[in-house]
Each structure stands twice: as structure tokens, then as C-alpha cells.
Amino acid sequence: MFDVIVAGGGPTGLMLAGELRLHGVRVLVLEREVEPPAHVRSLGLHVRSIEVMAQRGLLERFLAEGKKYPVGGFFAGMEKPAPERMDTAHGYVLGIPQTITARLLEEHALEVGAELRRGCEVVGLSQDDRAVTVELADGTALRSRYLVGCDGGRSTVRKLLGVGFPGEPSTAETLLGEMEATAEPETVAAVVAEVRKTQKRFGIGPVPGGGGTYRVVVPAEGLAEDRSVPPTLEEFRRQLRVTAGTDFGVHSPRWMSRFGDATRQAERYRTGRVLLAGDAAHIHPPMGGQGLNLGIQDAFNLGWKLAAEIDGWAPEGLLDSYHAERHPVAADVLNNTRAQAVLMSPEPNHQAVRRLLSELMDFEEVNRYLIEKITAVGVRYDFGAGHELLGRRLRDVQLKQDRLYDLMHEGRGMLLDQTGRLSIAGWANRIDHVVDVSEELDAPAVLLRPDGHVAWVGDDQQNLLAHLPRWFGTAAD
């Protein structure tokens, strides 16, 4: 029997598998598709996801495969410079195709001991007090202590659980693909610049290293009866002519797909021994490029908590805090993508609101607020009243000896102690005690959860002892 079965081998499921393996959890990833998908929906990692990779020692792999871009212009595509003094040591966006992100996370998960089986489709499940039974399309039945559905917006796991997925259905559809074009690059760029003045759902640009291949995004004519059926090249040509007045001579597609603007969120992220993460828990329009990042961050929040439950030291309510913390974060993403969709509409009234908000974004604090929302560095979990750092993740501060994130690769908690007087005796098997100082940290000591969020700030030993059990269970003998 496995400790955890993860249904879905996309970035969310693979990130979760890697996190679980850091704690010795026996994990199996089941992926329906035989081969990794060729289509590229996500084009990059935002600041918080970049920090996540740094915290686990994976960032150099991603930097070698991607390209850094300035932070800015993400909220409804409004071009604004990055605000000064962003609360991060990684103030950039990493341009990297989803296919490469998935490959790197798969490599990492396999390196640390996860098992991945492709061509395995989940068709049934049942659970009891001890475990979950997972039924596969080939008749195989597998048992695990927990199951996590990371199987996308049409999640089989969520449907089998009967978890509600309320929200709004798609009202518009967009075609997305990669193909060659006969038009001159200068002509393509000029037409795109003109059309995008009013139509923000349109774009055609060269694929980096694609040898003349373009990524094409264009509004569809209507809603397809079955969105899983890819569009035809003729559909692309027709819609390009409608939207841009030319089809740019597109031909020889690599892949073609379509997506809608449905906005939905699972009513609950946990049902007994079964949990949901990533698109299985929430779907929304792609405004701001937040979807893949949101799923990776779900996995980062869930992994250590589920491992603690399996290892037997999790305090009461720790696993339920996954829903309590991540459900509001996703709800906020759904809210801001709804707002961005309105701001990107060509309707005159919506464009008036867009112009007004653009003026407001010239104020530094407004610009920072919106960019930190999109990049997720503004996320603060509700840990109660206290220090301004409480509930926020701590940025990658420079210590005297190291950088903070370089000390977090093993996925353990940390007491960063600038006083040198504190002790974590009894919790040393779950928490690293780092005695060091940083000019960037205005606090005597901070207790960090394995996901880097600040669970306690202070310098009093008795107060620390009162807070340790909330996140790290009872002290070991």
C-alpha cells in the first residue's frame, strides 16, 4: 500500500510528489496520458513560484531553461514598471514554457524517489477509516492512505467525490496554438500592435527557439460543444481574418487547442482521506498567468502537512488548514481574473474603467498592491493578530553565513534566531535551529514553517514553546 496516490502528473501533482518525498512518504503519481502534452498553456513562473523553487534548491535548473523578464504589465495587460522595494530577492518573471516546467518537476520527483505511472486512468474510488481504494480503467485496484486529485479542471477525482464546483460557465472561448506563418515578422508585429489597442485576447508572436514558429491566440467564433476537440487550422485562419483582417498565412501547426473563461472553485478541498489541488480545485481565465503558479503553490502548502499527518506528528487541524489557507487565496485569484476580464473587454464602458485604473496604477502603492497580488508575494495567511510578518512568507534574506532559502532545501521548519538564546529542544527532528543575523530582518527571531511562512516572531523562550505545538505537534521525548 502507498502512503499517497497523486492523480495527475502535471506541474501540481509533480510538485506535490517531490514535496512528499522530502519527508520519506511513499508516493505514486498516476497520469492518464501516455506521453507528456506538447501544448504550452503557461509561459512562465511568477515571483512566489520562483521563490518556491529557490527554497527547494531547484531554481538553477529553471534559470538554465528560462529567461528573466521585468515584473510589470500583468494586471489586465496594462504596461507599468515594476514598483520599487518589492518584498522579494527575486524580482523578475521567469519565461519558461509549461512543458519544460513539468519536465523539470518530473525529473526532481523521480530523483527523490517518487514513482510515476503513465497511461493510468482513475475511474473509481472509495475510502474507509484507514485508506482509499483507487480503481483504474484497466481494472486494477490500488490502495493508499491518502489520495490527492491533481487531475485538472475536469477532475475525475472531484466528480467521484461529489464535491460541488460552483461558479460561472464559459461565456467566451479562445483559440491557442503554435504554427508557422508566411507574413513578414515586421508585418506581424505592426498588425498585432494595432489590433491589441482594443482586443486584448489577440496575439501572435514568435516562439523562442521555434525556428519561425508563432504562438497564436485569437478569439473563437463561439462556444464549442466539446472543448476537448481541438480546433482546425481553417478555424484559426477564419478568426484571424475576422479579428486582424489577415490570417498571416498561418500553416503547418504544431498543436492547436481551445480554452474558455469558466470560473469555478471546489466547495471543499478535503473529503476524508481525499484532497484536491491545482485546477481540480479551481479554474479561471488565464489573465495574469496565475493558474499554473497557483497549483504549484497549493502543492507547496499541502505537501509538508500531509507528510506530517502520515508521519504521525501533525497537530490536530493541521491538514484541514490546507483548505482554510488555500481556498481564500484561490477565491482572490478568481476575483482578480474576473476583474481583469472586464478590463480587457473592448466595450466602451469597460475601457473607461480601464483608463481610470491605469491612472491609479501610476501611484506606487496601487501598482505594488496589484503586482504583489498577481505574483502571490502579497499572500498572508490568517495566523491571528501579531507582528506584521506573521502569516507572510519571509523573503530570501541574506544572512551572515548564507542566504535563507539555501538552508530550506530539505523542507523542514526553521527557527531563525538572531539572539542566540532560544532553543527548540524536543522539536529538532522537525525544525532546524539557525543562529545567524541579517540586516534585512527586523525581528529578533522568527519561526518558519516548511513552506517559509512566518509562524511566530519574538525573543521569549516560553512564548516560543507555547507556539511550537500549533504547527509542529508535541515535542519528542
Side-chain angles (χ1 to χ4, degrees):
M1 185 167 72
F2 293 92
D3 291 322
V4 178
I5 290 177
V6 177
T12 299
L14 294 167
M15 184 74 206
L16 178 60
E19 287 296 288
L20 292 169
R21 282 301 304 156
L22 289 181
H23 301 277
V25 173
R26 189 181 179 208
V27 58
L28 169 66
V29 180
L30 300 175
E31 170 52 47
R32 181 180 62 183
E33 302 298 330
V34 176
E35 297 291 337
H39 58 269
V40 180
R41 291 194 180 276
S42 171
L43 292 173
L45 299 181
H46 282 313
V47 174
R48 182 56 188 143
S49 295
I50 293 167
E51 292 181 339
V52 164
M53 300 310 166
Q55 284 178 249
R56 293 300 180 259
L58 302 175
L59 183 55
E60 291 305 317
R61 303 186 190 192
F62 282 82
L63 292 177
E65 300 270 9
K67 181 178 180 180
K68 292 182 180 181
Y69 292 96
V71 173
F74 295 117
F75 200 85
M78 286 186 272
E79 296 294 335
K80 299 293 177 181
E84 297 180 3
R85 303 181 305 279
M86 275 191 71
D87 182 32
T88 182
H90 301 273
Y92 54 89
V93 175
L94 185 63
I96 185 168
Q98 180 174 334
T99 49
I100 296 179
T101 294
R103 173 174 60 79
L104 293 176
L105 290 175
E106 178 181 331
E107 290 173 357
H108 169 65
L110 295 177
E111 286 171 9
V112 295
E115 183 177 347
L116 170 63
R117 298 181 190 175
R118 293 192 174 275
C120 295
E121 181 180 2
V122 175
V123 297
L125 67 87
S126 60
Q127 60 177 311
D128 54 38
D129 292 340
R130 295 184 59 253
V132 182
T133 300
V134 177
E135 301 170 27
L136 304 184
D138 64 1
T140 303
L142 300 170
R143 292 271 283 175
S144 66
R145 295 173 66 182
Y146 289 89
L147 168 68
V148 185
C150 302
D151 51 342
R154 298 183 179 91
S155 171
T156 298
V157 172
R158 186 189 66 242
K159 293 173 183 176
L160 290 170
L161 283 174
V163 172
F165 204 41
E168 302 89 49
S170 289
T171 59
E173 192 168 282
T174 304
L175 306 183
L176 172 66
E178 290 183 0
M179 55 201 70
E180 296 180 30
T182 59
E184 292 297 324
E186 297 79 8
T187 300
V188 173
V191 173
V192 169
E194 183 62 29
V195 175
R196 280 189 57 81
K197 290 179 180 178
T198 55
Q199 178 51 270
K200 302 299 182 181
R201 287 171 52 212
F202 165 78
I204 173 171
V207 175
T213 300
Y214 287 85
R215 181 180 176 90
V216 180
V217 184
V218 63
E221 182 178 9
L223 297 175
E225 291 185 9
D226 184 356
R227 199 169 297 120
S228 65
V229 177
T232 65
L233 180 60
E234 183 51 40
E235 282 184 78
F236 270 90
R237 288 171 172 160
R238 182 172 63 249
Q239 291 310 112
L240 285 169
R241 290 193 293 267
V242 168
T243 304
T246 174
D247 62 13
F248 302 98
V250 294
H251 65 95
S252 306
R254 286 184 177 181
W255 56 267
M256 298 178 290
S257 67
R258 63 179 87 236
F259 62 88
D261 62 347
T263 304
R264 298 184 182 276
Q265 184 174 21
E267 291 179 331
R268 57 185 184 275
Y269 286 9
R270 181 187 178 192
T271 302
R273 292 180 172 271
V274 185
L275 300 104
L276 302 171
D279 288 353
H282 39 70
I283 58 172
H284 54 84
M287 285 75 173
Q290 300 168 86
L292 178 144
N293 292 271
L294 185 61
I296 285 174
Q297 292 155 32
D298 283 347
F300 202 57
N301 182 284
L302 175 59
W304 70 277
K305 296 174 180 178
L306 186 52
E309 191 74 24
I310 290 168
D311 290 345
W313 60 260
E316 183 178 357
L318 181 65
L319 191 53
D320 286 329
S321 73
Y322 166 64
H323 171 94
E325 292 175 1
R326 295 304 296 173
H327 195 276
V329 170
D332 187 65
V333 171
L334 267 61
N335 190 57
N336 81 57
T337 55
R338 287 184 178 103
Q340 290 183 77
V342 170
L343 293 168
M344 295 175 75
S345 165
E347 293 296 323
N349 290 348
H350 297 170
Q351 285 296 300
V353 177
R354 180 185 180 88
R355 289 190 293 271
L356 177 59
L357 183 59
S358 179
E359 292 175 13
L360 292 174
M361 288 176 67
D362 289 334
F363 291 95
E364 183 82 3
E365 291 305 311
V366 175
N367 190 27
R368 177 182 293 106
Y369 176 80
L370 292 175
I371 286 182
E372 289 190 352
K373 183 181 289 291
I374 295 290
T375 59
V377 300
V379 170
R380 182 176 188 175
Y381 299 139
D382 184 7
F383 294 173
H387 194 279
E388 64 179 2
L389 288 176
L390 193 65
R392 295 178 62 93
R393 97 281 179 263
L394 186 60
R395 70 177 183 275
D396 190 13
V397 298
Q398 177 66 58
L399 306 174
K400 186 174 182 180
Q401 303 294 332
D402 297 279
R403 293 205 70 89
L404 175 65
Y405 289 179
D406 289 340
L407 304 176
M408 304 187 73
H409 295 177
E410 301 303 315
R412 291 158 52 87
M414 177 188 294
L415 176 65
L416 177 53
D417 180 6
Q418 297 197 102
T419 73
R421 301 190 305 269
L422 299 173
S423 170
I424 54 167
W427 286 273
N429 62 331
R430 302 163 208 166
I431 306 172
D432 294 322
H433 187 185
V434 176
V435 178
D436 206 338
V437 295
S438 172
E439 295 180 357
E440 301 175 40
L441 179 59
D442 185 19
V446 292
L447 177 66
L448 303 179
R449 305 190 316 183
D451 59 3
H453 281 258
V454 179
W456 173 84
V457 182
D459 59 4
D460 181 79
Q461 179 66 39
Q462 293 306 310
N463 190 253
L464 171 62
L465 293 175
H467 282 79
L468 283 168
R470 176 179 178 183
W471 300 110
F472 296 99
T474 57
D477 294 333

